[in-house]
Amino acid sequence: MEGSEVKKRQNKNGGLKAKSQKIKAGLLKSYYGNPMKDMKLVAITGAAGKTVVAHYVHEILKAAGEQVAVLASDQPFGVGMLHKFLSDAWKAGANVVVVTVPAEGLRDNVFYGLPVTVAAMTNFVTAGLSDMTAEEYLENEKTLFDMKPEIVVMNHDDVNYNVFEEFKGSKETIDYGQTSSMVKILNSKLYPKGTEATLSIKSEITSVATFVPGEMAVSYMACAAAITTSMGVANEKIVEGIAAYDPE
């Protein structure tokens, strides 16, 4: 079979699966009683760092007194698992859910129909891609920002920032990084078992520290700070929450 015919068949099968997933998402939403009507969704995507950022945000929101649940995984999960998690979180009294959003989940419409309060992007690292091309990955990621989130959070240092900067939150758009004017990374110190950084969060100088080692942890802390400051969390709670996350 010619390559073009194979591609056509794959696209057709993919389209049928996506349509089926939309129907399934709608049925599950109804079955579980639409728990998202009473909760805010923080959706975190990117090629790397989603899970760490999700845990930071979870701890920060807990420190701020929110009732929050987190579903954080670098691996794709199905629409059934997602909707059960949302239902369980709602039954447990959560008012905020923090969820990692793999590109595969966006491609398969796992998140179809969900209202997004915050959509955040960690980075786009082609080396971290698995079963799709860079173009396919970017197209899937754009799907999240087309879901009309209230707040969009972007990595201003990412080499592909210009691809995503067109996406805006309906209420606020905020960026972070060394080149950002909103949540700016001023300096950092790396240790064998942790990382420190000085951030300017909307012009207020704040020092944060984490048990997560490595240079990328600086960007992940800035991302979590951008997400939560956009949700009205005070800087001291951001510091407290980041420090509380222990990857061990």
Side-chain angles (χ1 to χ4, degrees):
M1 185 180 292
E2 295 292 334
S4 60
E5 290 301 318
V6 172
K7 190 67 175 178
K8 286 180 181 178
R9 180 169 292 183
Q10 288 175 337
N11 289 339
K12 181 179 180 180
N13 291 338
L16 290 172
K17 180 180 180 182
K19 185 175 181 180
S20 174
Q21 287 286 81
K22 286 185 177 181
I23 295 171
K24 186 175 181 179
L27 292 172
L28 287 168
K29 178 180 178 180
S30 176
Y31 174 78
Y32 285 115
N34 188 22
M36 283 309 305
K37 68 181 183 298
D38 298 319
M39 298 188 295
K40 296 179 180 179
L41 171 61
V42 178
I44 303 169
T45 192
K50 299 183 293 293
T51 300
V52 174
V53 173
H55 284 298
Y56 283 151
V57 172
H58 177 238
E59 294 293 342
I60 292 168
L61 292 175
K62 282 202 315 182
E66 302 287 355
Q67 299 299 311
V68 55
V70 60
L71 176 59
S73 174
D74 288 325
Q75 300 302 315
F77 45 80
V79 64
M81 177 179 175
L82 175 60
H83 279 266
K84 185 178 187 307
F85 162 76
L86 296 175
S87 176
D88 290 344
W90 176 74
K91 290 176 182 176
N95 65 323
V96 184
V97 287
V98 182
V99 182
T100 53
V101 184
E104 294 88 346
L106 294 168
R107 176 191 61 196
D108 296 338
N109 284 309
V110 171
F111 294 86
Y112 177 75
L114 294 178
V116 182
T117 302
V118 183
M121 180 82 168
T122 58
N123 52 32
F124 170 49
V125 183
T126 54
L129 304 186
S130 54
D131 65 342
M132 62 183 74
T133 66
E135 291 74 19
E136 289 171 332
Y137 181 88
L138 288 170
E139 194 61 34
N140 290 325
E141 293 293 272
K142 289 179 181 180
T143 302
L144 174 62
F145 300 100
D146 282 338
M147 292 172 67
K148 304 186 186 308
E150 294 180 11
I151 300 164
V152 164
V153 177
M154 304 298 298
N155 182 352
H156 200 278
D157 293 341
D158 193 272
V159 294
N160 290 282
Y161 175 75
N162 64 317
V163 177
F164 296 99
E165 66 175 330
E166 65 184 274
F167 297 103
K168 307 296 182 182
S170 62
K171 293 185 177 179
E172 184 178 17
T173 303
I174 184 169
D175 59 25
Y176 65 94
Q178 293 179 337
T179 55
S180 170
S181 61
M182 297 180 180
V183 176
K184 186 178 181 65
I185 300 170
L186 300 178
N187 56 61
S188 60
K189 294 181 181 179
L190 307 182
Y191 301 97
K193 295 185 178 181
T195 310
E196 291 181 355
T198 302
L199 308 176
S200 174
I201 303 176
K202 294 184 175 180
S203 300
E204 183 176 338
I205 306 302
T206 304
S207 295
V208 293
T210 180
F211 289 110
V212 178
E215 186 174 353
M216 291 306 300
V218 179
S219 179
Y220 301 157
M221 288 191 289
C223 182
I227 292 169
T228 50
T229 195
S230 72
M231 298 177 73
V233 177
N235 285 8
E236 60 265 27
K237 296 302 179 182
I238 293 173
V239 174
E240 182 181 337
I242 288 175
Y245 173 54
D246 187 347
E248 297 298 326

